[in-house]
Amino acid sequence: MKFIVKLYPEIMMKSKSVRMRFTKMLETNIRNVLKKVDEEAKVQRLYDRILVKVPDNKPELGDAFAERLGCIPGIAHVVQVSEYAFDSIDHIYQQVLPKYRDEIAGKTFCVRVKRSGNHDFNSIEVERYVGGGLNQHTDALGVKLKNPDVTVNLEIDQDKLYMVERRIPGLGGFPMATQEDVLSLISGGFDSGVSSFQFIKKGARTHYCFFNLGGAQHEIGVKQVAYHLWKTYGESHKVRFVSVPFEPVVQEILERIDNGQMGVVLKRMMMRAATRIADKYGIQALVTGESLGQVSSQTLTNLNVIDRSTDLLILRPLIAMDKQDIINQSRVIGTEDFAKSIPEYCGVISQKPTVKAILSKVEKEELKFSEDLIDRVVDAAVVMDIRDIEAEMNQQVTETETVKDVASEEIVIDVRAPEEEERKPLVLDNVMVKTIPFFKLATQFADLDKSKTYLLYCDRGVMSKLQALYLIEQGYTNVKVYRP
Ligand SMILES: Nc1ncnc2c1ncn2[C@@H]1O[C@H](COP(=O)(O)OP(=O)(O)OP(=O)(O)O)[C@@H](O)[C@H]1O
Protein backbone atom coordinates (compact mmCIF):
# COMPACT_ATOMS: atom_id res chain seq x y z
CA MET A 1 0.00 0.00 0.00
CA LYS A 2 1.25 3.46 -0.91
CA PHE A 3 0.34 7.04 -0.17
CA ILE A 4 1.02 9.97 -2.46
CA VAL A 5 1.48 13.14 -0.43
CA LYS A 6 0.53 16.34 -2.29
CA LEU A 7 2.15 19.54 -1.17
CA TYR A 8 0.17 22.54 -0.09
CA PRO A 9 -0.39 24.81 -3.13
CA GLU A 10 1.29 27.76 -1.41
CA ILE A 11 4.51 25.71 -1.38
CA MET A 12 4.17 24.85 -5.06
CA MET A 13 3.98 28.54 -5.94
CA LYS A 14 7.37 29.29 -4.39
CA SER A 15 10.66 29.63 -6.29
CA LYS A 16 12.41 26.39 -7.20
CA SER A 17 15.03 26.64 -4.44
CA VAL A 18 12.50 27.42 -1.71
CA ARG A 19 10.18 24.69 -2.94
CA MET A 20 13.05 22.19 -2.88
CA ARG A 21 13.99 23.21 0.64
CA PHE A 22 10.41 22.97 1.90
CA THR A 23 9.87 19.62 0.19
CA LYS A 24 13.05 18.20 1.67
CA MET A 25 12.01 19.36 5.12
CA LEU A 26 8.56 17.87 4.68
CA GLU A 27 10.12 14.58 3.61
CA THR A 28 12.25 14.51 6.77
CA ASN A 29 9.29 15.48 8.95
CA ILE A 30 7.13 12.72 7.48
CA ARG A 31 9.93 10.20 8.02
CA ASN A 32 10.39 11.33 11.64
CA VAL A 33 6.69 11.00 12.38
CA LEU A 34 6.06 7.73 10.55
CA LYS A 35 9.06 5.95 12.00
CA LYS A 36 7.24 6.19 15.34
CA VAL A 37 4.43 4.15 13.75
CA ASP A 38 6.82 1.73 12.03
CA GLU A 39 10.59 1.79 11.64
CA GLU A 40 10.31 0.36 8.13
CA ALA A 41 8.13 3.15 6.71
CA LYS A 42 9.63 4.22 3.35
CA VAL A 43 9.46 7.89 2.35
CA GLN A 44 10.62 9.03 -1.09
CA ARG A 45 10.69 12.60 -2.38
CA LEU A 46 9.76 13.35 -5.98
CA TYR A 47 9.60 16.69 -7.75
CA ASP A 48 6.18 17.84 -6.54
CA ARG A 49 5.09 15.12 -4.13
CA ILE A 50 6.26 12.56 -1.67
CA LEU A 51 5.63 8.82 -1.79
CA VAL A 52 5.09 6.85 1.40
CA LYS A 53 5.12 3.08 1.42
CA VAL A 54 3.50 0.94 4.08
CA PRO A 55 5.62 -2.20 4.65
CA ASP A 56 4.17 -5.01 2.47
CA ASN A 57 3.89 -7.39 5.40
CA LYS A 58 1.98 -4.87 7.56
CA PRO A 59 -1.02 -3.60 5.53
CA GLU A 60 -2.92 -3.16 8.82
CA LEU A 61 -0.78 -0.06 9.46
CA GLY A 62 -2.49 1.76 6.58
CA ASP A 63 -5.00 3.55 8.83
CA ALA A 64 -2.34 4.65 11.30
CA PHE A 65 -0.20 6.04 8.46
CA ALA A 66 -3.21 7.85 6.99
CA GLU A 67 -4.11 9.37 10.34
CA ARG A 68 -0.60 10.64 10.99
CA LEU A 69 -0.20 12.04 7.47
CA GLY A 70 -3.45 13.98 7.92
CA CYS A 71 -1.87 15.84 10.87
CA ILE A 72 1.51 16.86 9.44
CA PRO A 73 1.77 20.56 8.51
CA GLY A 74 2.49 21.41 4.88
CA ILE A 75 0.36 18.74 3.23
CA ALA A 76 -2.59 19.64 0.97
CA HIS A 77 -3.99 16.14 0.79
CA VAL A 78 -2.89 12.55 0.65
CA VAL A 79 -4.17 9.80 -1.60
CA GLN A 80 -3.93 6.17 -0.72
CA VAL A 81 -3.20 4.19 -3.89
CA SER A 82 -2.52 0.73 -5.17
CA GLU A 83 0.31 0.53 -7.69
CA TYR A 84 0.46 -1.38 -10.98
CA ALA A 85 2.84 -1.54 -13.92
CA PHE A 86 1.44 -1.08 -17.44
CA ASP A 87 2.70 -1.09 -21.00
CA SER A 88 -0.24 0.34 -23.00
CA ILE A 89 -3.45 2.26 -22.63
CA ASP A 90 -5.39 -0.98 -23.01
CA HIS A 91 -3.30 -2.55 -20.28
CA ILE A 92 -4.43 0.28 -17.98
CA TYR A 93 -8.06 -0.41 -18.82
CA GLN A 94 -7.65 -4.18 -18.34
CA GLN A 95 -6.38 -3.58 -14.80
CA VAL A 96 -9.01 -1.00 -13.86
CA LEU A 97 -11.95 -3.14 -15.06
CA PRO A 98 -11.82 -5.91 -12.42
CA LYS A 99 -11.17 -3.37 -9.66
CA TYR A 100 -14.20 -1.21 -10.41
CA ARG A 101 -16.68 -3.62 -12.03
CA ASP A 102 -18.71 -4.22 -8.85
CA GLU A 103 -18.35 -0.74 -7.45
CA ILE A 104 -19.90 1.01 -10.44
CA ALA A 105 -22.67 -1.54 -11.09
CA GLY A 106 -26.03 0.28 -11.09
CA LYS A 107 -24.28 3.64 -10.66
CA THR A 108 -23.13 6.58 -12.73
CA PHE A 109 -19.39 7.13 -12.89
CA CYS A 110 -16.60 9.11 -14.48
CA VAL A 111 -12.87 8.54 -14.90
CA ARG A 112 -10.36 11.20 -13.89
CA VAL A 113 -6.70 10.87 -14.80
CA LYS A 114 -3.58 12.76 -13.74
CA ARG A 115 -0.53 11.97 -15.79
CA SER A 116 3.16 12.79 -15.71
CA GLY A 117 5.97 11.36 -17.85
CA ASN A 118 6.28 10.60 -21.57
CA HIS A 119 3.49 8.58 -23.14
CA ASP A 120 1.93 8.30 -26.55
CA PHE A 121 -1.44 9.27 -25.07
CA ASN A 122 -2.69 12.17 -22.96
CA SER A 123 -4.87 12.17 -19.84
CA ILE A 124 -8.11 12.83 -21.71
CA GLU A 125 -7.49 9.94 -24.03
CA VAL A 126 -7.03 7.62 -21.04
CA GLU A 127 -10.23 8.95 -19.45
CA ARG A 128 -12.14 8.26 -22.67
CA TYR A 129 -10.60 4.86 -23.30
CA VAL A 130 -11.04 3.53 -19.76
CA GLY A 131 -14.45 5.23 -19.31
CA GLY A 132 -15.73 3.88 -22.63
CA GLY A 133 -14.56 0.36 -21.78
CA LEU A 134 -16.13 0.40 -18.32
CA ASN A 135 -19.37 1.76 -19.78
CA GLN A 136 -19.60 -1.05 -22.33
CA HIS A 137 -18.44 -3.99 -20.25
CA THR A 138 -20.01 -3.44 -16.84
CA ASP A 139 -23.52 -2.91 -15.45
CA ALA A 140 -22.85 0.77 -14.75
CA LEU A 141 -25.70 3.24 -15.37
CA GLY A 142 -23.44 5.30 -17.60
CA VAL A 143 -20.86 8.05 -17.62
CA LYS A 144 -21.78 11.29 -15.86
CA LEU A 145 -19.14 13.99 -15.79
CA LYS A 146 -20.85 16.19 -13.21
CA ASN A 147 -21.59 14.70 -9.77
CA PRO A 148 -21.26 11.02 -10.68
CA ASP A 149 -21.95 8.38 -8.02
CA VAL A 150 -18.41 7.02 -8.36
CA THR A 151 -15.24 8.73 -9.56
CA VAL A 152 -12.50 6.42 -10.80
CA ASN A 153 -9.34 8.38 -9.96
CA LEU A 154 -6.17 7.24 -11.70
CA GLU A 155 -2.67 8.64 -11.57
CA ILE A 156 -0.09 7.72 -14.17
CA ASP A 157 3.58 8.37 -13.56
CA GLN A 158 5.99 7.07 -16.23
CA ASP A 159 5.38 3.29 -16.30
CA LYS A 160 3.34 3.19 -13.10
CA LEU A 161 -0.41 3.23 -12.74
CA TYR A 162 -1.87 4.27 -9.39
CA MET A 163 -5.50 3.59 -8.58
CA VAL A 164 -6.72 5.96 -5.91
CA GLU A 165 -8.42 4.16 -3.04
CA ARG A 166 -9.10 7.05 -0.70
CA ARG A 167 -8.33 10.71 -0.29
CA ILE A 168 -7.27 12.06 3.09
CA PRO A 169 -7.51 15.82 3.65
CA GLY A 170 -4.25 17.40 4.77
CA LEU A 171 -3.65 20.03 7.40
CA GLY A 172 -2.36 22.71 5.01
CA GLY A 173 0.20 25.26 6.20
CA PHE A 174 3.97 24.92 5.87
CA PRO A 175 6.29 22.08 6.88
CA MET A 176 7.43 22.23 10.49
CA ALA A 177 10.57 24.32 11.09
CA THR A 178 10.42 26.14 7.76
CA GLN A 179 9.53 29.20 9.88
CA GLU A 180 11.31 30.49 12.96
CA ASP A 181 10.44 29.30 16.48
CA VAL A 182 7.77 30.91 18.64
CA LEU A 183 6.99 30.79 22.35
CA SER A 184 3.28 30.25 22.94
CA LEU A 185 1.76 31.46 26.19
CA ILE A 186 -0.56 28.63 27.06
CA SER A 187 -3.17 28.62 29.78
CA GLY A 188 -5.07 25.52 28.72
CA GLY A 189 -8.32 27.24 27.75
CA PHE A 190 -9.90 27.24 24.30
CA ASP A 191 -7.94 30.22 23.02
CA SER A 192 -4.31 29.46 23.71
CA GLY A 193 -4.70 25.87 22.46
CA VAL A 194 -6.03 27.16 19.15
CA SER A 195 -3.46 29.96 18.87
CA SER A 196 -0.63 27.46 19.49
CA PHE A 197 -2.07 25.18 16.83
CA GLN A 198 -2.17 28.01 14.28
CA PHE A 199 1.59 28.44 14.57
CA ILE A 200 2.35 24.72 14.51
CA LYS A 201 0.35 24.55 11.30
CA LYS A 202 2.23 27.54 9.92
CA GLY A 203 5.48 25.60 10.30
CA ALA A 204 6.88 27.28 13.43
CA ARG A 205 8.37 25.13 16.16
CA THR A 206 6.01 26.11 18.94
CA HIS A 207 7.44 26.02 22.45
CA TYR A 208 5.15 26.49 25.44
CA CYS A 209 5.29 28.83 28.37
CA PHE A 210 2.86 28.40 31.25
CA PHE A 211 2.56 30.77 34.18
CA ASN A 212 1.44 28.85 37.20
CA LEU A 213 -0.81 31.14 39.18
CA GLY A 214 -1.10 28.73 42.06
CA GLY A 215 -2.63 25.40 41.06
CA ALA A 216 -0.82 22.10 40.60
CA GLN A 217 -4.05 20.85 39.09
CA HIS A 218 -3.99 23.62 36.48
CA GLU A 219 -0.44 22.73 35.51
CA ILE A 220 -1.32 19.08 34.91
CA GLY A 221 -4.16 20.14 32.63
CA VAL A 222 -2.05 22.61 30.66
CA LYS A 223 0.73 20.08 30.19
CA GLN A 224 -1.80 17.65 28.79
CA VAL A 225 -3.04 20.21 26.23
CA ALA A 226 0.50 21.16 25.16
CA TYR A 227 1.52 17.52 24.91
CA HIS A 228 -1.56 16.66 22.86
CA LEU A 229 -0.88 19.49 20.40
CA TRP A 230 2.77 18.59 20.02
CA LYS A 231 2.21 14.84 19.77
CA THR A 232 -0.58 15.19 17.23
CA TYR A 233 0.70 17.97 14.97
CA GLY A 234 4.30 18.83 15.80
CA GLU A 235 5.95 15.57 16.74
CA SER A 236 8.64 15.83 14.05
CA HIS A 237 10.52 18.41 16.16
CA LYS A 238 11.10 18.48 19.87
CA VAL A 239 10.09 21.59 21.79
CA ARG A 240 10.27 22.92 25.32
CA PHE A 241 7.56 23.28 27.93
CA VAL A 242 8.43 25.99 30.44
CA SER A 243 6.51 26.33 33.65
CA VAL A 244 7.02 29.58 35.55
CA PRO A 245 5.90 29.72 39.19
CA PHE A 246 3.97 32.98 39.12
CA GLU A 247 2.50 32.96 42.62
CA PRO A 248 5.04 35.53 43.88
CA VAL A 249 3.94 37.91 41.11
CA VAL A 250 0.26 37.33 41.87
CA GLN A 251 0.99 37.90 45.53
CA GLU A 252 2.65 41.25 44.94
CA ILE A 253 -0.04 42.33 42.48
CA LEU A 254 -2.73 41.59 45.06
CA GLU A 255 -0.84 43.43 47.78
CA ARG A 256 0.51 46.44 45.91
CA ILE A 257 -1.25 47.15 42.61
CA ASP A 258 -4.35 49.25 42.11
CA ASN A 259 -7.33 46.94 41.67
CA GLY A 260 -8.42 48.17 38.23
CA GLN A 261 -4.91 47.80 36.75
CA MET A 262 -4.27 44.28 38.02
CA GLY A 263 -5.15 42.38 34.84
CA VAL A 264 -3.05 44.56 32.54
CA VAL A 265 -0.13 44.50 34.96
CA LEU A 266 -0.33 40.69 35.25
CA LYS A 267 -0.20 40.35 31.44
CA ARG A 268 2.73 42.77 31.23
CA MET A 269 4.59 40.74 33.84
CA MET A 270 3.87 37.60 31.83
CA MET A 271 5.25 39.26 28.71
CA ARG A 272 8.40 40.35 30.54
CA ALA A 273 9.04 36.87 31.95
CA ALA A 274 8.23 35.23 28.60
CA THR A 275 10.63 37.63 26.86
CA ARG A 276 13.46 36.56 29.16
CA ILE A 277 12.74 32.92 28.42
CA ALA A 278 12.41 33.55 24.68
CA ASP A 279 15.70 35.47 24.64
CA LYS A 280 17.46 32.63 26.39
CA TYR A 281 16.46 30.23 23.61
CA GLY A 282 16.82 32.65 20.69
CA ILE A 283 13.06 32.83 20.09
CA GLN A 284 11.86 36.03 18.45
CA ALA A 285 8.10 36.05 18.96
CA LEU A 286 5.48 35.37 21.61
CA VAL A 287 2.05 33.96 20.76
CA THR A 288 -1.08 34.54 22.82
CA GLY A 289 -4.73 33.57 22.53
CA GLU A 290 -5.97 37.12 23.09
CA SER A 291 -9.00 38.10 21.04
CA LEU A 292 -10.39 41.57 20.73
CA GLY A 293 -13.25 42.25 23.11
CA GLN A 294 -13.50 38.67 24.29
CA VAL A 295 -13.29 39.83 27.85
CA SER A 296 -13.94 43.42 28.66
CA SER A 297 -10.25 44.11 29.32
CA GLN A 298 -9.10 42.85 25.91
CA THR A 299 -9.36 46.29 24.31
CA LEU A 300 -6.94 47.71 21.78
CA THR A 301 -5.86 50.28 24.35
CA ASN A 302 -4.99 47.58 26.87
CA LEU A 303 -3.30 45.37 24.29
CA ASN A 304 -1.22 48.37 23.28
CA VAL A 305 -0.15 48.93 26.88
CA ILE A 306 0.65 45.22 27.18
CA ASP A 307 2.78 45.44 24.02
CA ARG A 308 4.86 48.26 25.57
CA SER A 309 6.20 45.81 28.18
CA THR A 310 8.49 44.06 25.68
CA ASP A 311 10.47 44.66 22.50
CA LEU A 312 9.58 41.20 21.32
CA LEU A 313 6.96 40.66 18.66
CA ILE A 314 3.65 39.57 20.19
CA LEU A 315 1.52 37.55 17.79
CA ARG A 316 -2.21 37.19 18.40
CA PRO A 317 -3.60 34.91 15.72
CA LEU A 318 -7.13 34.92 17.19
CA ILE A 319 -7.42 38.68 17.49
CA ALA A 320 -10.39 39.03 15.11
CA MET A 321 -11.95 35.61 15.54
CA ASP A 322 -15.36 34.92 17.08
CA LYS A 323 -15.41 32.83 20.24
CA GLN A 324 -17.68 30.23 18.66
CA ASP A 325 -15.28 29.77 15.74
CA ILE A 326 -12.43 29.33 18.22
CA ILE A 327 -14.41 26.70 20.13
CA ASN A 328 -15.29 24.95 16.86
CA GLN A 329 -11.63 24.83 15.91
CA SER A 330 -10.67 23.51 19.33
CA ARG A 331 -13.13 20.65 18.72
CA VAL A 332 -11.47 19.84 15.38
CA ILE A 333 -7.93 19.86 16.82
CA GLY A 334 -8.91 17.85 19.87
CA THR A 335 -8.36 20.41 22.62
CA GLU A 336 -12.02 21.13 23.41
CA ASP A 337 -12.37 18.47 26.10
CA PHE A 338 -9.20 19.60 27.84
CA ALA A 339 -10.29 23.23 27.70
CA LYS A 340 -13.74 22.41 29.09
CA SER A 341 -12.28 20.46 31.95
CA ILE A 342 -9.72 23.05 32.99
CA PRO A 343 -11.18 25.10 35.80
CA GLU A 344 -11.14 28.84 35.14
CA TYR A 345 -8.18 29.76 37.29
CA CYS A 346 -7.36 33.34 37.76
CA GLY A 347 -5.36 34.49 40.73
CA VAL A 348 -5.99 38.13 39.90
CA ILE A 349 -9.58 39.15 39.42
CA SER A 350 -10.23 42.86 39.41
CA GLN A 351 -13.62 44.04 40.59
CA LYS A 352 -13.68 46.55 37.79
CA PRO A 353 -10.83 46.00 35.34
CA THR A 354 -9.77 49.00 33.35
CA VAL A 355 -10.65 49.00 29.67
CA LYS A 356 -8.53 52.07 28.96
CA ALA A 357 -5.20 51.46 30.65
CA ILE A 358 -2.84 54.43 30.65
CA LEU A 359 0.79 53.49 30.13
CA SER A 360 2.27 56.10 32.47
CA LYS A 361 -0.14 55.11 35.25
CA VAL A 362 0.57 51.42 34.81
CA GLU A 363 4.32 52.04 34.79
CA LYS A 364 3.98 54.01 37.99
CA GLU A 365 2.09 51.15 39.63
CA GLU A 366 4.79 48.72 38.54
CA LEU A 367 7.46 50.68 40.45
CA LYS A 368 5.86 49.12 43.53
CA PHE A 369 7.12 45.64 42.62
CA SER A 370 10.18 44.30 44.37
CA GLU A 371 13.18 44.85 42.16
CA ASP A 372 14.21 41.28 41.53
CA LEU A 373 10.70 39.84 41.14
CA ILE A 374 10.96 38.87 37.48
CA ASP A 375 14.50 37.52 37.95
CA ARG A 376 13.30 35.33 40.79
CA VAL A 377 10.37 33.75 38.97
CA VAL A 378 12.33 33.27 35.74
CA ASP A 379 15.21 31.66 37.63
CA ALA A 380 12.76 29.31 39.28
CA ALA A 381 11.15 28.30 35.96
CA VAL A 382 11.15 24.59 35.19
CA VAL A 383 12.12 23.81 31.59
CA MET A 384 11.11 20.41 30.25
CA ASP A 385 11.62 18.61 27.00
CA ILE A 386 8.00 18.13 25.97
CA ARG A 387 8.61 14.43 25.41
CA ASP A 388 9.15 13.99 29.15
CA ILE A 389 5.56 15.02 29.84
CA GLU A 390 4.43 11.60 28.64
CA ALA A 391 6.55 9.80 31.21
CA GLU A 392 5.33 12.19 33.88
CA MET A 393 1.70 11.64 32.87
CA ASN A 394 2.12 7.87 32.82
CA GLN A 395 3.52 7.99 36.30
CA GLN A 396 0.57 10.07 37.45
CA VAL A 397 -1.88 7.76 35.74
CA THR A 398 -0.50 4.77 37.60
CA GLU A 399 -1.05 6.74 40.78
CA THR A 400 -4.70 7.13 39.81
CA GLU A 401 -6.51 3.84 39.79
CA THR A 402 -9.28 3.53 37.20
CA VAL A 403 -12.07 1.04 37.84
CA LYS A 404 -14.94 -0.26 35.71
CA ASP A 405 -17.07 -1.74 38.48
CA VAL A 406 -18.34 -0.26 41.69
CA ALA A 407 -18.75 -2.15 44.95
CA SER A 408 -21.94 -1.35 46.87
CA GLU A 409 -20.08 0.30 49.76
CA GLU A 410 -18.21 2.66 47.41
CA ILE A 411 -19.56 6.08 46.46
CA VAL A 412 -19.52 7.50 42.97
CA ILE A 413 -19.07 11.27 42.68
CA ASP A 414 -20.36 12.73 39.43
CA VAL A 415 -18.03 15.72 38.85
CA ARG A 416 -19.64 16.96 35.63
CA ALA A 417 -20.90 20.49 35.27
CA PRO A 418 -24.52 20.76 36.56
CA GLU A 419 -26.04 21.27 33.10
CA GLU A 420 -24.34 18.13 31.73
CA GLU A 421 -25.34 16.14 34.78
CA GLU A 422 -28.95 17.28 34.47
CA ARG A 423 -29.04 16.45 30.76
CA LYS A 424 -27.82 12.88 31.31
CA PRO A 425 -28.03 11.93 35.01
CA LEU A 426 -25.89 9.03 36.15
CA VAL A 427 -28.05 6.34 37.74
CA LEU A 428 -26.44 3.16 39.07
CA ASP A 429 -28.23 0.21 40.70
CA ASN A 430 -27.43 -0.25 44.40
CA VAL A 431 -24.71 2.39 44.34
CA MET A 432 -24.79 5.82 45.90
CA VAL A 433 -24.11 8.61 43.39
CA LYS A 434 -23.30 12.07 44.71
CA THR A 435 -23.12 15.08 42.46
CA ILE A 436 -20.36 17.56 43.20
CA PRO A 437 -19.34 19.61 40.14
CA PHE A 438 -15.57 19.71 39.58
CA PHE A 439 -15.29 23.36 40.59
CA LYS A 440 -16.71 22.63 44.04
CA LEU A 441 -14.90 19.35 44.67
CA ALA A 442 -11.69 20.84 46.04
CA THR A 443 -13.62 22.63 48.78
CA GLN A 444 -16.32 20.01 49.46
CA PHE A 445 -14.28 16.82 49.43
CA ALA A 446 -12.78 17.44 52.84
CA ASP A 447 -16.29 17.26 54.39
CA LEU A 448 -16.96 13.71 53.18
CA ASP A 449 -16.71 10.59 55.33
CA LYS A 450 -13.08 9.45 54.96
CA SER A 451 -13.83 5.81 55.79
CA LYS A 452 -15.42 5.41 52.33
CA THR A 453 -13.84 5.05 48.88
CA TYR A 454 -14.86 7.60 46.26
CA LEU A 455 -14.96 6.98 42.54
CA LEU A 456 -14.94 10.12 40.41
CA TYR A 457 -17.00 10.09 37.24
CA CYS A 458 -17.28 12.33 34.17
CA ASP A 459 -18.20 11.65 30.54
CA ARG A 460 -14.74 11.32 29.04
CA GLY A 461 -12.58 10.49 32.00
CA VAL A 462 -10.44 13.62 31.60
CA MET A 463 -11.89 15.81 34.29
CA SER A 464 -12.37 12.94 36.73
CA LYS A 465 -8.69 12.00 36.31
CA LEU A 466 -7.52 15.58 36.81
CA GLN A 467 -9.62 15.91 39.95
CA ALA A 468 -8.51 12.52 41.29
CA LEU A 469 -4.86 13.50 40.75
CA TYR A 470 -5.46 16.71 42.57
CA LEU A 471 -7.14 15.02 45.54
CA ILE A 472 -4.40 12.36 45.72
CA GLU A 473 -1.86 15.15 45.69
CA GLN A 474 -3.69 16.69 48.64
CA GLY A 475 -3.12 13.45 50.54
CA TYR A 476 -6.47 11.65 50.01
CA THR A 477 -5.82 8.01 49.20
CA ASN A 478 -9.41 6.82 48.96
CA VAL A 479 -10.00 8.25 45.47
CA LYS A 480 -10.25 6.41 42.13
CA VAL A 481 -11.58 7.15 38.68
CA TYR A 482 -14.76 5.43 37.53
CA ARG A 483 -14.91 4.59 33.78
CA PRO A 484 -17.88 2.25 33.15
N1 LIG B 1 -1.47 31.30 33.22
C1 LIG B 1 -1.10 31.60 31.97
N2 LIG B 1 0.00 31.05 31.43
C2 LIG B 1 0.37 31.31 30.16
N3 LIG B 1 -0.30 32.13 29.36
C3 LIG B 1 -1.40 32.73 29.83
C4 LIG B 1 -1.87 32.51 31.16
N4 LIG B 1 -2.99 33.21 31.34
C5 LIG B 1 -3.22 33.87 30.18
N5 LIG B 1 -2.27 33.58 29.27
C6 LIG B 1 -2.15 34.06 27.87
O1 LIG B 1 -2.97 35.21 27.71
C7 LIG B 1 -4.05 34.93 26.81
C8 LIG B 1 -5.32 35.63 27.27
O2 LIG B 1 -5.62 35.14 28.54
P1 LIG B 1 -6.98 35.46 29.27
O3 LIG B 1 -6.96 34.75 30.56
O4 LIG B 1 -7.16 36.93 29.22
O5 LIG B 1 -8.02 34.85 28.24
P2 LIG B 1 -8.65 33.39 28.12
O6 LIG B 1 -9.77 33.54 27.17
O7 LIG B 1 -8.95 32.79 29.45
O8 LIG B 1 -7.46 32.55 27.43
P3 LIG B 1 -7.43 30.96 27.23
O9 LIG B 1 -8.75 30.53 26.61
O10 LIG B 1 -6.27 30.72 26.32
O11 LIG B 1 -7.23 30.33 28.60
C9 LIG B 1 -4.16 33.42 26.79
O12 LIG B 1 -4.76 32.95 25.60
C10 LIG B 1 -2.71 33.01 26.91
O13 LIG B 1 -2.05 33.12 25.67
Side-chain angles (χ1 to χ4, degrees), residues 123-175:
S123 308
I124 295 175
E125 283 166 338
V126 183
E127 288 176 356
R128 287 197 184 131
Y129 191 96
V130 175
L134 292 176
N135 200 22
Q136 274 183 30
H137 299 109
T138 67
D139 297 328
L141 279 186
V143 174
K144 192 167 169 240
L145 296 180
K146 247 189 175 175
N147 299 327
D149 297 326
V150 179
T151 302
V152 177
N153 282 304
L154 306 177
E155 299 208 6
I156 295 166
D157 184 10
Q158 301 292 7
D159 58 348
K160 294 206 176 67
L161 163 68
Y162 296 109
M163 287 189 220
V164 175
E165 290 169 350
R166 65 170 154 162
R167 191 175 191 278
I168 300 130
L171 203 63
F174 292 134

Side-chain angles (χ1 to χ4, degrees), residues 127 198 353 383 432:
E127 288 176 356
Q198 306 265 37
V383 183
M432 184 195 277

